[in-house]
Amino acid sequence: TVEHGDDVELWTCTVAGNHAIYGGGIATTDSASTVSLFMTRVYDNWATQTGGGVYTAGETYISFSSIYNNST
C-alpha cells in the first residue's frame, strides 16, 4: 500500500498471486498518489472488498501492460 502522496512506477514487472482487502495486487489510498504501469502484468490477484488487481484513489497510467484474471 502506498500512502501520503507517494507515487509508484512499475516497469516490466509481474504482480501475481496476492491478496488484500483493497487492491489485491496494487493499492494506493491517497488521492494525491499516482500509479504508472509500463510493460507490466497484473494477474491472479484477489481482494476482499474491491480492486482485485489494482485499486487506486489517485491517477493511474497504464501503457503496454496487461491486467487480467483478478477478482473480488
Side-chain angles (χ1 to χ4, degrees), residues 2-24:
V2 175
E3 298 182 30
H4 311 298
D6 291 338
D7 296 332
V8 174
E9 287 189 6
L10 297 178
W11 290 77
T12 61
C13 293
T14 298
V15 180
N18 299 290
H19 174 261
I21 296 172
Y22 298 101

Side-chain angles (χ1 to χ4, degrees), residues 18-27 29 45-56 70-72:
N18 299 290
H19 174 261
I21 296 172
Y22 298 101
I26 299 167
T29 58
N45 299 290
W46 181 69
T48 305
Q49 294 293 318
T50 190
V54 179
Y55 174 85
T56 63
N70 299 286
S71 62
T72 55

